[in-house]
């Protein structure tokens, strides 16, 4: 495991990066214990997971530009096949953190 801390100049805080350098198999969900943090953080914290690699051939991206759309049907799904969906929003202030569904 490699752990790296970087100063986040945009909010006077730090970003922590944990990188597994070998495949250690399935791991339990990460949790964060903030009881020993000092300072203020009005936006809270987030945990994101990034896996570097090659996108599968059937990877797809859909951009919905109509702000009144509140649902989206994904078609042609196959029974028994796992699918992973991430949803985020984009505004004039930037992109939200994705929500994995």
């Amino acid at each position: 495991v490699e752990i790296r801390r970087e100063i986040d100049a945009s909010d006077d805080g730090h970003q922590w990066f944990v990188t597994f350098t070998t495949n250690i198999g399935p791991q339990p969900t990460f949790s964060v214990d903030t009881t020993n943090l000092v300072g203020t953080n009005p936006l809270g914290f987030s945990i994101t997971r990034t896996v570097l690699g090659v996108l599968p051939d059937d990877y797809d991206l859909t951009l919905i530009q109509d702000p009144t759309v509140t649902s989206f049907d994904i078609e042609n799904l196959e029974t028994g096949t796992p699918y992973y969906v991430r949803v985020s929003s984009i505004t004039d202030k930037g992109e939200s953190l994705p929500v994995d569904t």
Side-chain angles (χ1 to χ4, degrees):
V1 173
E2 293 177 356
I3 299 176
R4 186 177 87 245
R5 181 183 80 167
E6 293 182 5
I7 294 174
D8 187 347
S10 65
D11 66 6
D12 296 325
H14 295 89
Q15 292 183 355
W16 292 85
F17 298 88
V18 178
T19 303
F20 292 94
T21 56
T22 60
N23 183 353
I24 58 175
Q27 296 296 306
T29 302
F30 281 111
S31 62
V32 176
D33 179 356
T34 62
T35 56
N36 294 313
L37 292 179
V38 177
T40 59
N41 187 358
L43 301 177
F45 63 90
S46 66
I47 298 174
T48 58
R49 178 176 183 255
T50 303
V51 178
L52 299 179
V54 177
L55 292 175
D57 292 336
D58 58 352
Y59 173 82
D60 195 14
L61 171 72
T62 301
L63 180 61
I64 301 170
Q65 296 181 332
D66 181 351
T68 64
V69 172
T70 59
S71 66
F72 179 79
D73 292 328
I74 301 173
E75 299 176 352
N76 301 319
L77 301 179
E78 295 181 24
T79 302
T81 301
Y83 294 93
Y84 303 93
V85 177
R86 297 181 88 186
V87 178
S88 62
S89 64
I90 302 171
T91 69
D92 58 342
K93 297 189 186 238
E95 185 173 351
S96 72
L97 293 173
V99 175
D100 294 325
T101 62

